[in-house]
Amino acid sequence: AARFFTRPPGQARAHYEAISCHLRTHPMAIVSPARWFDDGIVVRGQPRPLVLMPWIPGSPLNLAVEDRLHDRMALLALTSTWLEVMRSLADSAVAHGDLQCGNVLIDDGGNIRLVDLDGFYVPGMTTCPDELGHPNFQHPARQASDWGPEMDGTSAAIIALSLRALAFDPGLWEFHNGENLVLSVADLRAAGSTPVWQRLRASADELVRRWADQVAEWCSQNYPPTMSEVLEVLTGRPKATDSPAVKGQ
């Protein structure tokens, strides 16, 4: 898979070289490695860069969820796997920066791979990329200064809540708009007070109801929750412990 830039890449070269160096010494099966090439393509006589990655089989998160929409056990398993992937990121002190449908691929076996590393963080990075993530999956108050190893907390919580909620109420898919799962940026900005929140709080599953209250509370704050905080609340275990399980499953 080759990714080309439609605007000047800025600090992207140093960014991708730092990621490649880190993943060579700390490989992660859930993250697709990427290589930077300064002269990957020539346009009107001028060399332009590209990022080259292995082709990752799988469907974007929203399409994978739609395929499993009426399979409760599959969605519960996907929720558990998602939390395990988030734990792996946190325990490795790395973060993705833009967890959203198109950047999360699910294969037929329910395995998760993360792609598009433009906003990725690895230890030692000091330059913040120009990347704030998809607004349907980010805290309303997220700022560039939030970039770092804890930045994926909100998106991790939104996706976990959405997956488990859909397992118990597939009808929530009516709130899907092609760019989200069930929560939109408008819902996050009006946390707890839009129709989808009412449905989430009326879920037949107690854990969905608790998670919905917690995510709404986080989104109402003036700052995003950390990944460590989110994992401790959603899994009942603090950072750097054994692989998590979804409580109440």
Side-chain angles (χ1 to χ4, degrees):
R3 296 185 64 239
F4 300 91
F5 293 82
T6 58
R7 60 181 186 271
Q11 300 294 320
R13 184 179 191 274
H15 178 80
Y16 272 93
E17 287 183 342
I19 295 171
S20 296
C21 181
H22 182 81
L23 293 179
R24 278 196 298 272
T25 55
H26 302 81
M28 301 182 69
I30 58 174
V31 177
S32 175
R35 293 181 60 193
W36 176 275
F37 291 88
D38 285 320
D39 54 355
I41 188 174
V42 176
V43 180
R44 297 178 180 174
Q46 296 295 319
R48 301 294 178 88
L50 71 78
V51 175
L52 193 66
M53 303 164 288
W55 182 263
I56 304 300
S59 300
L61 178 61
N62 57 323
L63 298 184
V65 168
E66 192 168 34
D67 289 342
R68 296 163 172 79
L69 199 54
H70 298 285
D71 187 340
R72 176 177 295 181
M73 295 310 297
L75 287 177
L76 290 176
L78 192 56
T79 307
S80 183
T81 301
W82 175 252
L83 291 174
E84 291 172 5
V85 167
M86 295 299 99
R87 174 71 65 188
S88 178
L89 289 179
D91 288 350
S92 300
V94 303
H96 186 277
D98 188 17
L99 295 172
Q100 53 153 300
C101 292
N103 293 341
V104 179
L105 300 182
I106 316 293
D107 68 18
D108 291 341
N111 300 300
I112 294 175
R113 296 289 295 274
L114 306 178
V115 298
D116 188 347
L117 308 184
D118 287 354
F120 207 75
Y121 170 87
V122 298
M125 280 186 170
T126 58
T127 302
C128 175
D130 183 20
E131 176 66 69
L132 292 179
H134 197 297
N136 286 337
F137 294 88
Q138 296 297 328
H139 193 280
R142 179 177 173 179
Q143 302 178 19
S145 59
D146 296 315
W147 183 74
E150 298 283 355
M151 65 180 162
D152 288 333
T154 300
S155 47
I158 289 170
I159 292 173
L161 169 61
S162 301
L163 292 174
R164 187 168 180 101
L166 285 163
F168 289 92
D169 182 5
L172 283 166
W173 202 240
E174 68 179 272
F175 296 102
H176 176 66
N177 61 24
E179 294 290 331
N180 70 340
L181 288 177
V182 298
L183 292 166
S184 69
V185 60
D187 298 313
L188 302 179
R189 290 173 177 167
S193 61
T194 59
V196 67
W197 290 108
Q198 297 173 21
R199 286 278 291 276
L200 291 170
R201 286 169 164 165
S203 173
D205 181 58
E206 179 186 359
L207 191 54
V208 170
R209 298 195 298 270
R210 293 209 312 265
W211 283 6
D213 286 339
Q214 183 62 76
V215 174
E217 180 180 336
W218 280 327
C219 289
S220 299
Q221 296 174 166
N222 294 326
Y223 51 89
T226 65
M227 176 66 95
S228 298
E229 180 183 2
V230 167
L231 287 174
E232 184 165 2
V233 170
L234 297 192
T235 71
R237 298 178 180 178
K239 184 178 178 180
T241 62
D242 295 336
S243 296
V246 181
K247 295 189 300 180
Q249 186 171 311

